[in-house]
């Protein structure tokens, strides 16, 4: 598997439900970021969590980080149809410098109205 | 708009054509990047520029040639491409090279959808 691998690859839920996406990585990291991409558009930075943080909130987003398991999760609460997008995690390895940011292949989320 | 503008949005070119992609940002960022996004694959970093100097060439074929005349503009010159080069090409910028302890994140453009026929 690759650094920054999201799971599941695709997720379909009803509006109002919560959506949980997971990201696993291999090497020690400095921080982990989540991005969102609407179809055929650029990525939008959602939230960053540093390696010394365990949980972070931003509006309806909740991100957790477990460095012992090398994994992170993104929870979107009370989902809306407008949340339909692909979600990517990006990790910055502890060694190698910032331009080694590694993106996963993403989770495609579909929220049905 | 994110502050990073890419043109054109769509491009169809033959394998013998020469074309250029343009990226522009007026966010005051000093680092700019080209990424390639193919279907169902992770984003692939292609080139990195910091203060107009190329700092990373991620083993990209020479048929892709970047140019960074100043910190606000980035070009990707294309020639004799192959059909497998068809993808979404994304430009991004950041305050500086994205060091882990800064973590401001990237600002992406909307991309150029390239089709090579």
């Amino acid at each position: 598997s690759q650094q920054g691998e999201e799971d599941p690859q695709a997720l379909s839920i009803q509006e109002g439900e919560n959506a949980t996406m997971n990201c696993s990585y291999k090497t020690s990291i400095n921080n982990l970021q989540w991005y969102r991409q609407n179809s055929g558009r650029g990525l939008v930075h959602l939230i960053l969590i540093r390696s010394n943080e365990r949980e972070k909130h931003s509006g309806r987003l909740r991100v957790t980080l477990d460095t012992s398991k090398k994994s992170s999760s993104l929870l979107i609460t009370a989902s809306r149809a407008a949340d339909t997008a692909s979600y990517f995690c990006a990790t910055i390895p502890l060694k190698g410098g910032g331009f080694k940011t590694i993106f996963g292949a993403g989770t495609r989320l579909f929220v049905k109205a | 708009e994110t502050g990073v503008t890419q043109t054109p949005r769509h491009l169809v070119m033959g394998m013998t054509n020469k074309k250029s992609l343009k990226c522009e940002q007026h966010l005051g960022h000093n680092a700019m990047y080209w990424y390639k996004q193919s279907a169902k694959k992770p984003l692939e970093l292609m080139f990195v520029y910091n203060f107009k100097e190329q700092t990373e060439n991620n083993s990209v074929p020479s048929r892709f040639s970047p140019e960074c005349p100043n910190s606000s503009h980035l070009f990707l010159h294309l020639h004799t491409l192959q059909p497998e080069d068809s993808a979404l090409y994304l430009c991004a910028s950041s305050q500086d090279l994205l060091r882990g302890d800064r973590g401001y994140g990237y600002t992406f453009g909307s991309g150029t959808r390239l089709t090579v026929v």
Side-chain angles (χ1 to χ4, degrees):
Chain A
S1 62
Q2 299 182 30
Q3 179 88 346
E5 189 168 300
E6 293 90 344
D7 167 62
Q9 291 187 348
L11 180 61
S12 181
I13 59 173
Q14 290 291 140
E15 202 167 33
E17 294 180 338
N18 295 341
T20 300
M21 289 159 271
N22 303 296
C23 170
S24 60
Y25 57 91
K26 288 185 171 181
T27 63
S28 296
I29 61 170
N30 204 300
N31 66 61
L32 184 145
Q33 303 173 53
W34 284 93
Y35 286 81
R36 164 192 164 134
Q37 182 181 35
N38 288 75
S39 180
R41 309 285 293 191
L43 280 70
V44 175
H45 184 253
L46 293 177
I47 196 166
L48 176 146
I49 186 164
R50 301 185 190 282
S51 59
N52 61 352
E53 297 176 309
R54 292 295 166 259
E55 188 171 313
K56 203 159 183 180
H57 296 255
S58 176
R60 293 184 296 113
L61 305 180
R62 174 179 163 239
V63 170
T64 62
L65 179 65
D66 187 335
T67 53
S68 66
K69 294 181 180 178
K70 291 186 168 59
S71 68
S72 172
S73 67
L74 171 67
L75 168 67
I76 303 175
T77 59
S79 64
R80 305 166 183 168
D83 294 327
T84 295
S86 292
Y87 293 83
F88 296 84
C89 69
T91 54
I92 298 180
L94 198 57
K95 296 179 182 178
F99 51 84
K100 299 297 184 186
T101 300
I102 302 169
F103 289 85
T107 291
R108 292 173 59 97
L109 172 66
F110 181 65
V111 181
K112 293 178 280 188
Chain B
E1 291 298 326
T2 63
V4 177
T5 303
Q6 288 187 245
T7 54
R9 288 296 311 278
H10 301 273
L11 178 63
V12 179
M13 61 184 289
M15 289 189 283
T16 58
N17 290 161
K18 287 185 180 182
K19 296 286 184 183
S20 296
L21 309 185
K22 180 182 177 181
C23 176
E24 185 174 354
Q25 60 90 7
H26 295 288
L27 300 170
H29 289 174
N30 295 306
M32 297 186 77
Y33 312 78
W34 280 116
Y35 279 89
K36 176 183 178 182
Q37 186 178 31
S38 304
K40 299 182 181 179
K41 291 176 67 176
L43 266 71
E44 299 173 52
L45 178 66
M46 299 176 72
F47 301 103
V48 179
Y49 278 82
N50 191 40
F51 291 94
K52 304 188 300 177
E53 299 296 322
Q54 186 179 126
T55 60
E56 185 85 359
N57 176 338
N58 206 24
S59 303
V60 180
S62 60
R63 57 185 184 270
F64 295 91
S65 174
E67 179 190 0
C68 188
N70 54 62
S71 293
S72 299
H73 294 86
L74 185 64
F75 295 90
L76 188 62
H77 303 300
L78 317 170
H79 65 98
T80 58
L81 295 192
Q82 304 297 313
E84 58 266 28
D85 296 322
S86 298
L88 181 67
Y89 287 85
L90 292 165
C91 173
S93 70
S94 64
Q95 186 65 44
D96 57 18
L97 290 183
L98 195 64
R99 303 296 175 185
D101 59 354
R102 294 180 186 271
Y104 293 123
Y106 294 109
T107 301
F108 281 85
S110 295
T112 294
R113 173 69 63 186
L114 174 68
T115 303
V116 182
V117 297

